[in-house]
Every structure is written in C-alpha cells, then in structure tokens.
Amino acid sequence: MSRVSRVGNVAIVFAIVTIFLIGSYIYAKHEIDTLKDEKYLEASLQMKNELQMFIKEKSEAIILVTLGLSANQNVKNILQEKASYKELGINNFILTLQKNSPLQHIWVQLIGADGKSFYRSWTKKKGDDLVKIRPDVAQMIKNPKLFSIISTGKYDMTFKAMMPIFDNGKFIGIVETIAKFHSIVKKMNSEGIEVLIVVDKKYKKQLTDTYSKTFIDDYYIVNPFENEKLLQIVQKNSIQKYLQITTYLIDEKNSLLLTTFRLPDVNGKSMGYFIIAKDLKMIDLSDIEQAKNDILEITLLVLIVIVIFFYYLYGINYKRFIQEQNEMLESSVQEKTKELKLQTDALTFIAHHDKLTGFPNKVLLLDRIEDAIQHAKNSSEQLSIFFLDLDRFKEINDTYGHEIGDELLLQIVARLKECIKDEDTLARLGGDEFAILHKNATKISTINLIDTILIKMKKPFHVKNIEIFTTFSIGITLYPQDAMQASQLLRNAETAMYKAKDSGKNTYQFYDKQMTELALQKIQLDADIRKALKNKEFVAYFQPKIDARNGKVIGLETLIRWIHPQKGIIYPNAFIPFCEETGLVVEIDKYMLIHAMKQISQWRKEGLEFGKVSINVSTRKIESSNYIEELSYIVQSSQFDTSSLELEILEGQIMKDPKKSIDILNKIRDLGISISVDDFGTGYSSLSYLKKLPVNKIKIDRSFIMDIPFDEDDMAIVRTIISLAQNLNLEIIAEGVETKEQLDFLLQEGCYNIQGYYFSKPLPVDECKKFIIANAKGK
C-alpha cells in the first residue's frame, strides 16, 4: 500500500464520519424538537384544563321567573302574606331542573308584572316589593332572547349568560349563568401560572368602570394589576398574536410558555380570553434530557462501530502491505531460520535423548513422569516405574570391547521396545541402566511386563557372530503408593533394583515388600496353572438341573475344580479371575470343553438320561478370532452329538456388541449346540435385541433368588423375567435355589426348572452318576 493510497483512504473515512455526524445531529435535533413540542403541548393543555375546571367550579345559575303579579291578584296576595315558594307551586319546577339539567345551585326570583314586587329564594325574605329588578332583567322581560354580558366590580369580574324560559310559547322566566374569575386567577397564580383576562369590548357592560380602564386595541384587560409582567409582554406585541394561539407559543426571551383559553358566549362566539403563561423552567424536560443522552450514546456507539470497521478494513489493507514486506524479508531469512531451527531441534533432541540409542534420557523421562502424574491425579490411574540394570555388562565390555557393547545395547533396546505399550516410555539413563514408565498400570499389567522382559532376556543376543547372554536386575516402584514426585519415584525404583541385585540378579524387586510378595504369588500361580493344564489337575464337577414338579434330572452344568497336589481342592474363584486377566482362561475353556464332552459321551454309552449338559464360555474365549473354527474342529474330531451340549454365555458379554454376538451365536447354533443366557437380569439386555438372539434358554441369576421371599423388588424382577421368557417361548431356569420358600415361589410363578443346593451341590463324576440313576424316574 502506497502512501498516496493510505492518505486517500483516510480522507474517505473522514468524509464518511463527517456525513454521519451531520446526519446524526439533524436526526437528534429533530427528535429533541419533537419531544419538546409534545412536552409543551402537554403543558399547555394541562393549563387550559385546570382553568376550565376552576371555571366550572365557579359557575352558578339563577332562575328568574316572572309571574305577571299585577295581573294576578291571588298571587299578589300570597306574596303579601309572606308565603313560601313551595306554596307558590314552583317547588316541582326547581326539582325538575336540578334533576334534568347540570344546574345544581338554583336561586329563584319571582318578579311582578309591575317590575317591583319579587321573591328571592337566596334570602330569608318571602318577598320584597321595594327593590326594583335589574335593568338587564327588565330588558329580558320586555324582549326575551338569548344574550351574554360581562360585568366588573372592584375585586372581581363576572361573566353572565341569560336564556329565556317559555311555557307553551308563553315567556315565564330567565335562566342566568354566572362565573366569577378573581378567585380562579389566584388559584392559577398559586400554581405558578400567570393569567391575563381579556374581554371583547362589545361584551363589556360598563366601559367607564374606574377599576378597569386598561384597553389594548378593541379588547379590555380585566386584571392588569395582578399580572403586570405578562401585561407588558402582551402590550409590546400585537394582542392578536396571543389571542390567536391555538396550541402554544414559546417566548424564548422571557422564558415563558403561553397559550390562550377562549370563553364562548351562549352563541358559541368568543366573548372572553384567558392568556395563560408558565415559566419554562417549571416544565419537566428530564425525559428530553434522557432521550438526548440515549441518542448521544447510540450515536457514539455507531460511530465507534464505524471507526472499528474502517480500522479493521485499514488493518486488513495494512496487514496485506506488511505481509508483502514480510514475504520479501522472509525470502531472505528463510534459509537461515531453517538452519537455526534444525540446530535448535538438534540441541533440544541431544538435551533430552540418549546419543547412542536415540531414546529419551533421564531429563525427558522425569518430565514425562511428571506429566503422567498430573494426568493420573485427574483420572485416578496408577503408574509403574521400572529401573533396569544389565547384569555383567562390564565384563562384556571388558571382554569384547565397547563397540560390541554398544551394538548389544541397541539390540537390548529393540527387545525392550517390543515389551512395552505405545503410550509407555523407554529411556536410557546411561551406561547399562534403563528405565520404563508404564502408564495406566495395574498389578497384573505390571507383573506381566516384568515377566515379558525376563522371558525376552532369556534368549541369546548375536553381535557380529558372537552369542551373548545377559539379564536384567529390575526395581519397580508404584505411583501413588510409594511416592508423589517423579524424582523420588525414580530413586525408589533404583533402590528396589539394588535389592534385586543383592537377591542374586536376573530377578526383580518391588519397592513395596508386600507387592513383591504378591508378584511372586502371581508368578507362582501362573506357573502352577500351566503345570495343572499339563498334568490334567483340572476336573469337571456337575451340578444337576431338576424339574421341580417331578424331581427328574433334566440337565447338568459343568463346573471346574482344581485338584492341587499339595493344597487339595481349589475352587474357581481362587484362580479364574487371574486366568481371565492373563488369558490363561482360553486354554482352560478348551480343556474343560474336551473333558466334559468325553464324560458326556461315556455316560451316553452307559445309557444314562440326564438331558443337556451346559458348559460356561468365557469372554476371552468367545472373543478369540478362531473360536468357531476351534469349536467346530473339536466337535467333528470327537464325533460328538451336539444335541446333548449347551453353552452358557454371560448376558453382559452378549450386550457388549449385540450385532457381533448375534452373528457368533448363529454360527454356534448351526453346529447343533443349544445356547443359554447366563446370569440373566444383570447385563441390561435390550428387549429389541433379546428377541433377535438365537438363544434357547435364559437363566435367572442367583443374586435375584437369594433374598426371596424377603425382598419384594427381587420377587418383582423374577416375575418379570419368567413372564418375559414365556412370552418369547424361551426355556427358563433359576440358579442358586437353596430354600423351600424360594422353590415354592418359583413354582407358583411358573418356573419349574431349578438348579441349586436345595436339590444338589456340584458333584464329582462318580457321585453325579449315582444321583442321575437315583433320580432317573423322578419322584
């Protein structure tokens, strides 16, 4: 971007901002003027309304009724006798007026035809024939018609309107409306409002009144001395200017809001005017100030947005300019930057890696242990730290030289790398010392890694046609049991390694003695299980399944027992969990299947009837890739009748991957083998999949049976499972039945196939044979 273009862009931005500010000012002024106009109009209307209300409050009415007294001697006699107006028969007339007109204050004046005798209801007199009637009343009697007049006194001014009353075309009286305005002016002044009363001359009754001699053009000023300031303002201008105000007028010089109220006569023509003025300071304009502030805030906000927007555009253009400059600079320094980066990376790698093997050194190892500790704190995981020291490495170096020693170390590292997981870290600490960070560790995974390393190291190394045997002394420490810091953990592992050296080398030692003992037990257990498989120490026990209605044996479940040479009978819970962790359970499953099939075939040859024999299949076994091929081979090679065989598969195993399980179960069923869902009710089966599973039977788990009949929830679950099996046309069997109450409940609910200690415990082959024979015919 050139300097000229930048200047041009700035000029454009300045012009746009200027136009926006001018437009904003015009808009703001218009809005404020509109708001002021509304406020002033509201104030003027309020003043007029108040004045009109006061006028209404001061309005009075007098009814003058002429009765032609001189022509009516009876009425005249009544007046002379001081009769009441009720007796004169006008009471109903007054009440009618009050009821059917807005006139509430009504006075009655009876006038004789001679113009002298009269009766006034607003005095205590019943009549007075000495006072003459007013000239305006006399004029009305002579010439009845509608007219208005204005009269003034020393302290007041009165507006009067007179209207004749006719009865069937005969003039009988006058309605006179009176409004006095001196008190009204005082009330308006008390509220800070000045009022100037102006009267058209033609309505003025007495133009020579000494108390009111102020005239402006053809108009008479009633109260000039009470509002001299307002009078002076009006006198300086044309009075028509003020009388013609329709809404309001603003006198900026005198800071006044002016308006005019017109008082019409009986014919609707203006006979009097009230010029009303109020100080502008008394009008509340706070809303306008708030509106002004709001408009200002919005204007500033929009202006800021505009400035930011143009700043952003300018920034983009400027950034493009800078980018072009940078590209020119980068082209000149790119090669040097690459060189510096390579040098930095090389130095960083050297600082954190072993020069010979390229694996992490102690610095990087400690850093990764620290990171692993932070992760383990959040996830509650465990870590294992291995410290490995080569046995007799000094002798190898001294005998064959450092070149052979280095090559041996490279081969050792390659073997160690094969032993660990991708997420683990193998490091060379120096010389013949190595370390391993084993993440997400368990007791079993730690022991398995030890075993793997020791086995790998048993094989000889071949370095330049030289066969070399070497071993490791290994120390292991655990996080968080042994320490909480990386350096302390590594020291603990080193301490344990020296204990392993002292124990004869080619071994390992846990920093925690109890863990060492457990590791030795696991290793011994692993060796014993492998030996038991080889020596056929595992045997099959069989637990009968009974039709509780007749006591007949309808099937058997195969259960494993370990006949240990020294320890005697060992039950499955003492070794099967370990076998599942290590994978030995796959071999045990195969061993038990073959062993059970042989026994079943033998009993069939002897003519025993016992229904189907079920065998449990472990998760590891069914997940193995060649399980179906292996099962098919065993069945075919032994020529076994699969109609007698039933495989029990855990519900939880099926629900891990229902689609895959359906495929495997279909292949098992194709071999003629029945399938039973074991521990039903504990694996959260989906009913949509359950109806698709190629299974023949479901077994109610013992956990739902053991508390019957005391646990209502378990009873409800069992009822549901039985009903579900019946609706899906599946066989149902309950395991773990030990009491008569449990049996009675199951029979009552429709579950007749029972397995449990109530009928028989798991039996060895000979005892099971006797049981089958004894219960061949049932009860």
Side-chain angles (χ1 to χ4, degrees):
M1 185 191 302
S2 65
R3 183 176 181 275
V4 175
S5 61
R6 291 201 302 273
V7 172
N9 289 339
V10 172
I12 292 172
V13 172
F14 179 79
I16 292 174
V17 171
T18 301
I19 293 171
F20 169 77
L21 291 176
I22 293 172
S24 299
Y25 172 77
I26 294 172
Y27 169 79
K29 187 175 185 305
H30 175 266
E31 286 297 310
I32 292 170
D33 289 342
T34 300
L35 291 174
K36 280 186 177 181
D37 180 74
E38 292 174 357
K39 275 290 183 180
Y40 292 152
L41 181 60
E42 179 184 350
S44 66
L45 290 175
Q46 184 177 358
M47 290 189 296
K48 288 180 180 180
N49 290 338
E50 288 183 8
L51 178 62
Q52 190 171 13
M53 180 183 67
F54 291 148
I55 291 173
K56 186 176 182 181
E57 289 176 354
K58 295 299 295 181
S59 295
E60 299 173 346
I62 297 176
I63 297 176
L64 305 176
V65 181
T66 177
L67 297 177
L69 298 179
S70 61
N72 191 332
Q73 187 62 37
N74 293 330
V75 174
K76 185 176 182 180
N77 293 334
I78 292 173
L79 288 172
Q80 291 174 350
E81 294 173 2
K82 310 299 182 179
S84 68
Y85 67 87
K86 292 182 180 180
E87 294 172 334
L88 293 176
I90 63 174
N91 182 50
N92 292 335
F93 177 75
I94 295 171
L95 293 176
T96 301
L97 281 176
Q98 288 178 332
K99 181 177 180 181
N100 297 292
S101 72
L103 301 175
Q104 299 300 314
H105 305 289
I106 299 174
W107 292 267
V108 177
Q109 184 177 15
L110 298 179
I111 308 169
D114 56 2
K116 294 182 178 181
S117 301
F118 63 88
Y119 170 88
R120 294 184 297 180
S121 65
W122 62 91
T123 69
K124 296 182 180 180
K125 297 178 181 180
K126 294 295 181 73
D128 186 351
D129 56 0
L130 299 178
V131 181
K132 292 183 179 181
I133 62 174
R134 299 195 320 261
D136 54 348
V137 174
Q139 183 182 353
M140 173 65 79
I141 292 173
K142 291 178 181 180
N143 182 20
K145 66 177 182 178
L146 183 68
F147 67 94
S148 302
I149 62 174
I150 299 173
S151 63
T152 59
K154 183 176 182 180
Y155 301 107
D156 201 355
M157 180 194 75
T158 302
F159 282 78
K160 295 182 181 180
M162 301 180 69
M163 179 177 68
I165 301 173
F166 296 90
D167 182 14
N168 294 324
K170 181 181 179 180
F171 171 71
I172 62 171
I174 306 163
V175 175
E176 180 181 48
T177 301
I178 303 171
K180 299 181 179 182
F181 296 107
H182 181 73
S183 59
I184 294 176
V185 173
K186 285 188 176 182
K187 287 183 179 180
M188 295 292 282
N189 289 341
S190 67
E191 296 187 11
I193 301 173
E194 296 184 24
V195 179
L196 198 63
I197 303 175
V198 181
V199 178
D200 195 324
K201 287 182 180 179
K202 64 183 177 181
Y203 291 99
K204 184 67 183 74
K205 180 182 176 184
Q206 299 175 352
L207 298 180
T208 60
D209 186 88
T210 57
Y211 301 104
S212 305
K213 293 184 178 180
T214 303
F215 293 91
I216 301 177
D217 297 334
D218 293 329
Y219 295 91
Y220 170 73
I221 307 302
V222 176
N223 57 335
F225 305 107
E226 295 178 348
N227 296 282
E228 293 182 358
K229 178 182 177 181
L230 183 57
L231 178 62
Q232 292 174 2
I233 294 172
V234 173
Q235 287 175 332
K236 289 180 180 179
N237 300 279
S238 171
I239 192 169
Q240 290 294 335
K241 173 182 177 181
Y242 300 99
L243 298 183
Q244 293 175 2
I245 298 173
T246 57
T247 55
Y248 68 87
L249 177 69
I250 299 297
D251 187 342
E252 295 285 353
K253 181 179 179 181
N254 296 290
S255 185
L256 291 176
L257 169 68
L258 297 104
T259 188
T260 300
F261 178 78
R262 294 167 178 80
L263 183 68
D265 62 10
V266 291
N267 297 311
K269 296 181 179 180
S270 298
M271 59 184 286
Y273 303 86
F274 293 81
I275 300 174
I276 311 169
K278 188 174 185 178
D279 194 333
L280 291 176
K281 296 177 182 179
M282 296 179 63
I283 300 174
D284 183 11
L285 299 179
S286 59
D287 292 343
I288 297 176
E289 288 300 319
Q290 182 61 43
K292 186 189 299 183
N293 293 335
D294 292 342
I295 294 172
L296 180 60
E297 289 176 1
I298 294 172
T299 302
L300 289 176
L301 181 61
V302 175
L303 180 61
I304 290 171
V305 171
I306 293 174
V307 172
I308 292 174
F309 174 75
F310 281 106
Y311 181 80
Y312 171 75
L313 293 180
Y314 178 80
I316 292 176
N317 293 330
Y318 186 74
K319 184 178 181 181
R320 187 181 298 118
F321 169 75
I322 294 299
Q323 185 175 358
E324 293 173 356
Q325 297 298 316
N326 287 340
E327 288 175 357
M328 295 175 60
L329 293 174
E330 286 175 0
S331 63
S332 63
V333 300
Q334 190 172 16
E335 291 300 323
K336 290 186 178 181
T337 302
K338 289 181 179 179
E339 292 177 4
L340 290 173
K341 187 177 184 304
L342 290 174
Q343 292 175 3
T344 302
D345 292 344
L347 291 173
T348 302
F349 187 88
I350 291 172
H352 294 88
H353 292 80
D354 175 58
K355 182 178 180 181
L356 174 65
T357 62
F359 279 77
N361 58 14
K362 185 176 181 179
V363 174
L364 183 55
L365 174 68
L366 289 172
D367 186 63
R368 290 188 178 179
I369 293 175
E370 204 65 54
D371 290 342
I373 289 173
Q374 295 302 319
H375 178 74
K377 287 179 180 179
N378 298 327
S379 59
S380 300
E381 294 178 358
Q382 295 186 353
L383 306 175
S384 298
I385 311 299
F386 290 62
F387 196 107
L388 304 92
D389 186 86
L390 279 174
D391 299 326
R392 302 184 306 105
F393 183 70
K394 185 176 183 302
E395 297 177 11
I396 296 170
N397 262 342
D398 292 342
T399 302
Y400 301 108
H402 289 282
E403 184 178 354
I404 298 297
D406 288 346
E407 182 62 28
L408 175 63
L409 290 175
L410 292 174
Q411 292 189 22
I412 290 172
V413 168
R415 286 194 188 180
L416 290 175
K417 186 64 177 175
E418 295 173 358
C419 299
I420 64 174
K421 299 180 295 184
D422 292 339
E423 62 181 11
D424 295 342
T425 297
L426 171 63
R428 185 188 178 205
L429 305 181
D432 56 354
E433 294 179 344
F434 297 86
I436 295 174
L437 165 61
H438 177 43
K439 295 182 178 180
N440 197 18
T442 63
K443 295 178 180 179
I444 298 302
S445 66
T446 300
I447 292 169
N448 288 343
L449 180 54
I450 295 169
D451 188 47
T452 301
I453 293 172
L454 293 178
I455 292 172
K456 285 280 187 181
M457 294 301 294
K458 287 179 181 180
K459 298 178 181 180
F461 294 91
H462 295 88
V463 182
K464 294 185 178 181
N465 298 323
I466 301 173
E467 188 178 74
I468 301 174
F469 289 87
T470 186
T471 57
F472 271 124
S473 293
I474 306 173
I476 308 101
T477 189
L478 303 177
Y479 170 87
Q481 293 92 323
D482 299 335
M484 302 297 290
Q485 295 181 346
S487 57
Q488 186 62 49
L489 286 168
L490 193 59
R491 284 197 296 271
N492 290 349
E494 184 177 11
T495 300
M497 182 274 294
Y498 283 116
K499 290 183 180 179
K501 286 277 189 185
D502 296 337
S503 299
K505 301 179 181 180
N506 191 26
T507 186
Y508 62 91
Q509 184 75 32
F510 279 91
Y511 182 78
D512 179 42
K513 184 177 181 181
Q514 183 179 2
M515 186 66 181
T516 302
E517 293 174 356
L518 177 61
L520 292 173
Q521 291 175 7
K522 295 292 185 180
I523 291 174
Q524 186 62 48
L525 180 60
D526 183 86
D528 289 348
I529 291 172
R530 295 179 188 277
K531 183 179 179 181
L533 286 169
K534 183 178 180 181
N535 296 336
K536 298 181 179 180
E537 295 173 5
F538 296 109
V539 299
Y541 272 44
F542 298 89
Q543 187 173 30
K545 302 176 183 178
I546 306 298
D547 185 342
R549 293 171 294 184
N550 52 34
K552 187 177 179 180
V553 177
I554 59 168
L556 303 169
E557 180 178 3
T558 306
L559 300 168
I560 190 171
R561 297 292 185 269
W562 183 2
I563 311 302
H564 195 278
Q566 289 80 35
K567 300 177 182 179
I569 298 177
I570 301 177
Y571 291 91
N573 58 350
F575 61 91
I576 289 298
F578 174 79
C579 293
E580 288 177 343
E581 291 182 0
T582 60
L584 284 172
V585 72
V586 175
E587 294 299 321
I588 290 177
D589 279 355
K590 181 179 179 181
Y591 174 91
M592 289 302 298
L593 177 63
I594 295 172
H595 190 74
M597 288 171 60
K598 287 181 179 180
Q599 187 59 58
I600 294 169
S601 298
Q602 179 63 36
W603 280 338
R604 291 297 185 198
K605 289 178 182 179
E606 294 175 8
L608 298 180
E609 294 295 330
F610 44 80
K612 294 181 182 291
V613 178
S614 61
I615 301 175
N616 291 289
V617 182
S618 68
T619 300
R620 284 282 190 110
K621 189 66 177 177
I622 203 170
E623 285 179 346
S624 59
S625 59
N626 64 338
Y627 174 65
I628 298 299
E629 290 78 11
E630 181 182 278
L631 179 62
S632 177
Y633 173 79
I634 293 173
V635 169
Q636 293 175 7
S637 62
S638 62
Q639 297 182 347
F640 182 77
D641 181 9
T642 56
S643 63
S644 302
L645 184 62
E646 182 180 83
L647 296 183
E648 289 191 5
I649 302 173
L650 293 174
E651 180 190 18
Q653 167 60 27
I654 295 173
M655 296 314 298
K656 281 185 177 179
D657 189 346
K659 293 182 180 180
K660 182 179 179 182
S661 297
I662 290 173
D663 181 61
I664 294 173
L665 296 180
N666 279 323
K667 292 178 180 178
I668 294 174
R669 192 173 64 175
D670 291 342
L671 295 175
I673 301 172
S674 298
I675 301 169
S676 174
V677 180
D678 196 13
D679 294 346
F680 188 83
T682 63
Y684 306 100
S685 292
S686 169
L687 295 180
S688 62
Y689 279 109
L690 182 61
K691 66 180 183 180
K692 299 177 183 178
L693 292 175
V695 299
N696 308 95
K697 182 187 297 182
I698 57 178
K699 178 182 282 189
I700 304 174
D701 185 67
R702 68 178 67 249
S703 63
F704 301 118
I705 303 297
M706 59 190 299
D707 290 329
I708 292 175
F710 307 105
D711 192 319
E712 291 293 333
D713 291 337
D714 284 346
M715 294 169 69
I717 292 171
V718 171
R719 286 193 190 99
T720 303
I721 295 173
I722 294 171
S723 176
L724 178 65
Q726 292 171 348
N727 291 331
L728 294 176
N729 294 321
L730 298 175
E731 295 178 44
I732 184 76
I733 186 171
E735 66 175 356
V737 179
E738 298 182 0
T739 67
K740 187 176 186 307
E741 290 81 1
Q742 294 169 351
L743 176 63
D744 292 340
F745 170 79
L746 292 167
L747 290 174
Q748 180 183 345
E749 297 301 323
C751 179
Y752 308 115
N753 298 334
I754 306 298
Q755 179 183 345
Y757 276 54
Y758 182 82
F759 287 107
S760 176
K761 64 181 180 179
L763 302 171
V765 173
D766 293 339
E767 293 181 21
C768 186
K769 180 179 179 181
K770 293 177 183 179
F771 187 92
I772 294 171
I773 295 171
N775 294 274
K777 297 181 180 180
K779 296 179 182 178

